[in-house]
Amino acid sequence: MVDSLLSMDIYESFNLYSHPEKFFLEPTDLGGGAASKHYLEIDRHTNVMKIIDSRKQRVPIADTDIKFIYGILGTIKLVSGYALIVITKASLIGQVNNHNIWTIQDAEIIPYKKTTLHLTEKQIRYNRLFTDMLTHVLSIGGFYYSTTLDISRTFQWLQENAVPLFKTRSMLDRASERFIWNGHLLSQIRQVPGAERYTLPVIHGFIGQNRVNVNGKEIKLTIISRRSIYRAGVRFYKRGVDVDGHAANFVETEQIVEYTNPDKHLTSFVQLRGSIPLLWTQKPNLRWQPMPTLKPTDDQLAAFNRAFSWHKQHYGGKHVIVNLVNQKGREKKVGGELERISRQANIEFVRYHQFDFHKECHSMQWHRIDLLREQLSQEISSFGYFYLSPNSMETSRFQRGFFRTNCMDCLDRTNVVQSMLARESLTEQLRMLGILYSEQKVQDIPLLEDAFKQMWADNGDECSRQYAGTGALKADFTRHGRRTYVGAMKDGVNAVSRYVRNNFGDGYRQDSIDLFLGNFLVDSSDLPVSLESSILSTDQNGLALIAALFAMSMTILCLLVADNFTATIFWMVIFFVCMMFIFLNGEEFVNAPKLKLD
């Protein structure tokens, strides 16, 4: 039934003809014959797009540069005018339910205007900066698409919404807006009559796949993680939920099993992660871990209710909040409030479950994660999983509940717990399919366990890189099943790297994401003055940094050359005073977003 929904496929490749006056996009995958009869024309001066019948007007090839491309990400308005963003390199990573899945490896931003002579020097600087921001987002990686399968939705959703009207809509129109990262970029093209097969929806997150032989039977295991466009951004600048209930770092992860014997069987298990569903912030301020902030005036109950009303709308069923934050220290402030609000809300389909991960698993006692497994075992079984039966006479199964896991970042601890839940569900699915014997578990099959661990560790690393800038911490446990001292040392390196990136680079990253998603729109007549500012633009900040650097240099010089104790102490005191000033005013010194502020 799922396959029957996917008739309006998208063209897989094009020849892009760049003429001084126009762009022409001619499909090159001519399956079915219809593709060769039309092409898309884009006027580089008027921005007008239209579908041309090639039987009446062939693509003009005189004075054109020809480039093979995999698809169109969309168009965006910059200071110089509109620009076309195309996929120049993509690789096939595998198939899901017989549909090809591609990952974007390289893209190119092609301005409509071939010159910037019409711009002032200031406009040229801004245009270059905005172009670099778009390039930065594309360089993050983790962008995926399929021309024949809607990978923005779960298989359970596709099965439940298998209505004839649905398959008549374009791939973009029927995709989930929550997970389409180039929705804004395609807003112009999607208005063109007949351009449905040119609009390629792209998700951001992770897709991994592996084939494993289990008891003489081959299965294909796939993980698809979909990152939401709502409240999208980076670690410390996007926390909690917004006024509509959308959570920061919200990722929907679907684990899929495919097995053919000889009919095709497909099962899937969906989990959710997202920032603590309250109104809270944690702005970077040069401290190792900034203190989370909750405003007394914010209506936390309303925010929590909106968040789970949204969950009910999109997922239905029951929900278990698995809260992994510490029950003491700075994390308790937000974690304790979540517990209080969840009890006050008393939503029928939501259950709150607390597990202090660091307390239970301290001193590398990671086997104690089994405590959480035992606490959730009944719901793991009762929630079930989706099963698409090849036999039309046999009723498909549906997942009836969902685990929503969070820690502070929804990265490291969250990924460990999600992999544990996924392993338990996978055991039940493989037993139902007759692949595992009744007494066997996933961890009893070395090849299967190793493939499972590697995929979930890769998933954790990718989700972490996209939100925090580095691979996941605690990845050695997910990848190898045990905590190691080498892994702990690697975590230390990643933690330091996160600190540097989060304090001195995340403002630019947040601005880049906001530009890419259309949260900030470029207006050449009203360019943001804040972008021209730098860390030295404020007098007191610049003087403090210069003084600190000078005092540190003089301290080292006195120690190595002058051998003057009094002078050394003097410059050391000056250095510490400057550093104290910097840290007391830390928010003024970090790299903060400049385009769009919450």
Side-chain angles (χ1 to χ4, degrees), residues 243 245 279 299-308 341:
V243 294
L279 301 169
D299 190 342
Q300 301 292 1
L301 180 61
F304 182 88
N305 285 333
R306 280 193 295 270
F308 281 94
I341 291 296

Side-chain angles (χ1 to χ4, degrees), residues 91-96 99-103 144-147 149 151 207 209 222 224:
S91 63
L92 180 68
I93 62 172
Q95 289 189 332
V96 175
H99 297 277
N100 290 340
I101 308 296
W102 301 80
T103 181
Y144 303 89
Y145 69 90
S146 173
T147 59
L149 176 67
I151 58 174
I207 299 182
Q209 191 172 86
T222 305
I224 301 179

Side-chain angles (χ1 to χ4, degrees), residues 168-184:
T168 65
R169 302 169 65 190
S170 71
M171 181 79 80
L172 181 61
D173 286 339
R174 66 188 181 217
S176 175
E177 183 183 83
R178 298 178 295 151
F179 301 120
I180 300 304
W181 272 63
N182 62 332
H184 166 67

